[in-house]
Amino acid sequence: MKECLLCATSLETLPSWKSLVGMEEQEVICERCSNSFERADIKEEGTTLASITSLFMYNDAMKDYLHQFKFLQDIALAKVFRKELNGVLKGKTNIVPIPMHPEKKLARTFAQVEALLDAANIPYLNVLEKLDTGAMGEKTRRERLEMKPLFTLKQEIQIQPETYILVDDIYTTGTTLQHAAKILKEAGALRVEAVTLIRAK
Amino acid sequence: MMKDTDFTLRDFLAGRIWHREHIPFDTEIIDAHIKAGHIKVISGVTKTSKYFQQTHYFCRRCENEEQARFTTFQCAKCDGPCAYCRQCLKMGRVSVCTELIAWIGEDLVFANDHQIAWQGNLTPLQKKASAELIESNHQKKSHLIYAVCGAGKTEILFEPIYELLKDGKRICLAAPRVDVILELEPRLKAAFPETPIDALYGGAKPSLAPAQLILATTHQLYRFQEAFDVIFVDEADAFPYTADGTLKRAVKKAAKKDAPIHFVTATPSKQLIVEANKQGAISSIPRRFHGHPLPVPRYESLWNYKQKFEKGKLPPKLVNWVRERLDHQQPFLIFFHHIELMEKALPIFQTIDERIQSVHAAHENRKAHVLALRNNEVPGLLTTTILERGITIPNVQVAVVGAEQQIFTKGALVQIGGRVGRAVTYPDGDFVLFHHGISNAMDDARKEIVNLNKKGGKL
């Protein structure tokens, strides 16, 4: 029997003709857990970053989710938001996940943003490289703003005069996204937008 | 190369199976002990091709082999396809490339000078059960203590535990629920003041000193193997122990070969009784330690209570019941079958008395609310079945709302009723089942209680 990935209660899903022919993805979490997440659907506009779209608020349920996904390394949870990510990213091109430092990726055994995109079947480009190993959460706002570049463009990467969409798991002050957008713009991107799963305040 | 054993490391690791990266010792010390042959390294998840080449995973920590509880992924660490176990994830993820470590060096030797500070008196029935349990330990035979709620089960264990401690045996007292462990910890520490005792549950930090007596939730036994000479499983019929096969395996794995595993419960399953009859012994105690009968549940109809709560209304019968408790200053528990319904009902109850609170498994103030009830700071609590066992509050009065619901099995109802009249000073109390129709489980529970009272009365 299938169980909710978050609370392990059994999922009683009625098969529809779409699910039988594999056209509809099956639910991976129960309704109760699903309702515990708070939709945000915030779109903020700016200059370096033309827009930042965030799908969910950072509430208790999301805090637990991130803990299990990132800290407990439960990559199975990448599937939880595949529908919502598809809703904003399906059919789009030039999708760029915010990269992790290789050492950190090794320790976590996977890169969480790429895992989210993979689970949603969204193709993406790895064009950026992370420079600093420090975690954002450990820095003060001032430190974040004064920091040296966080990313660099990978060698032999050509940026086209087109629209690029950055993807990250959580948007707090926007420093990470601003840094990444600046690099892409300087390399010739026409417009840079961003999509994050979570908006923290 | 280091030849000597680090005794602190041995004291901690002996009998355990531990995540190599999460052990509270320096990497160099661990490496040296592996090299010296004191520690063996085990792959966290083993992968075999069974059943016509289909991959079969097995978790070496929790012994889960339910394939749906493994997730496969591209692992950056081992640079290829890997798999991890979701069953024991919360204890730190274990995957194919995770290394678990176990102690294979010099054995731990425990002290045999212990003190027993407990000075209470046992009833003749408790004494008999205690002696029978000691005999079973001598014969290395499993034993079932089948004793009604309030029979004084823990006290029965004191003498047998003392005997084992003096023999230098390592003992585990396990229970499925953390509430039970929290209640047992101070009592056992008081009873055996000289004995190193460790209580293990989710979020508790294990001490580095070697504990001869370990109190643990059954989940924590995932982290042990061949560690104990005797294991007692308290409340052996409680969720999730009954529903989760890996917990039963964990208890077996944590026990040394041929070590007896004893069960203690007021509501044993038929299977447990059959097994005990076949391979072990049973001591049954149909009477409470204070000699008074168990409260027999009374039925009260509460038609369409769900719809009433939905509309924000409280059925008058419930209002009256709560008012009566408040007037008499009696603490009370009201059991619900579902969290959502309970949360909907809470604000309505708070219109009668705003101090009324609710608790459930994931409630952040669960411990504090129960303590507040005990200290008379809160007049009553709404609760899920989480408080059906393990707690003792003098003079508590109990109601079940929706007693006909499936979750209220015969065992659950007997346990819930077992909260009432436990203290010598208040040996009786109200136990009421509010219902929308009478279920078989309700009748079975009532019959069982009446029968036990008959048996107990004849003694």
Side-chain angles (χ1 to χ4, degrees), chain B residues 305-375:
Chain B
Y305 57 89
K306 267 191 232 172
Q307 287 87 326
K308 292 203 174 113
F309 289 137
E310 303 278 353
K311 283 185 200 150
K313 282 185 192 149
L314 214 52
K317 274 184 185 173
L318 259 182
V319 178
N320 291 340
W321 191 81
V322 171
R323 287 241 161 87
E324 219 174 297
R325 306 290 75 84
L326 292 169
D327 289 346
H328 292 90
Q329 298 194 326
Q330 295 167 324
F332 62 90
L333 290 171
I334 303 178
F335 286 83
F336 283 82
H337 76 288
H338 206 265
I339 298 177
E340 257 108 84
L341 187 71
M342 179 176 82
E343 294 295 312
K344 254 182 210 137
L346 179 65
I348 326 175
F349 276 100
Q350 284 171 335
T351 59
I352 310 178
D353 189 314
E354 59 182 15
R355 296 169 302 163
I356 296 173
Q357 292 295 344
S358 70
V359 288
H360 56 82
H363 201 295
E364 51 185 13
N365 292 327
R366 178 172 148 197
K367 265 170 145 179
H369 284 337
V370 174
L371 191 70
L373 182 68
R374 216 181 281 270
N375 297 340

Side-chain angles (χ1 to χ4, degrees), chain A residues 3 5 32 73-74 76 109, chain B residues 69 76 84 86 89 93 340:
Chain A
E3 288 171 353
L5 283 177
R32 190 176 138 84
Q73 304 162 266
D74 193 5
T109 73
Chain B
R69 295 216 170 108
Y84 66 93
R86 295 193 80 240
L89 182 83
R93 197 186 77 175
E340 257 108 84

Side-chain angles (χ1 to χ4, degrees), chain B residues 134 171 194 200 276 289:
Chain B
I134 290 173
I171 308 154
E194 315 263 290
L200 304 175
F289 79 97

Side-chain angles (χ1 to χ4, degrees), chain B residues 32 83 145 194 212 217 244 258 322 360 386 392 404:
Chain B
I145 303 269
E194 315 263 290
Q212 192 174 348
T217 53
D244 188 343
D258 301 326
V322 171
H360 56 82
I386 195 75
T392 298
E404 79 289 350

Side-chain angles (χ1 to χ4, degrees), chain A residues 3 5-6 32 68 72-77 105-106 108-110, chain B residues 69 71-77 84 86 89-90 92-93 339-340:
Chain A
E3 288 171 353
L5 283 177
L6 296 171
R32 190 176 138 84
Q68 189 166 332
L72 292 176
Q73 304 162 266
D74 193 5
I75 194 176
L77 298 192
K105 182 176 170 183
L106 216 62
R108 185 164 289 158
T109 73
F110 61 88
Chain B
R69 295 216 170 108
T71 295
T72 52
F73 71 112
Q74 273 303 113
C75 177
K77 190 175 142 211
Y84 66 93
R86 295 193 80 240
L89 182 83
K90 300 241 154 96
R93 197 186 77 175
I339 298 177
E340 257 108 84

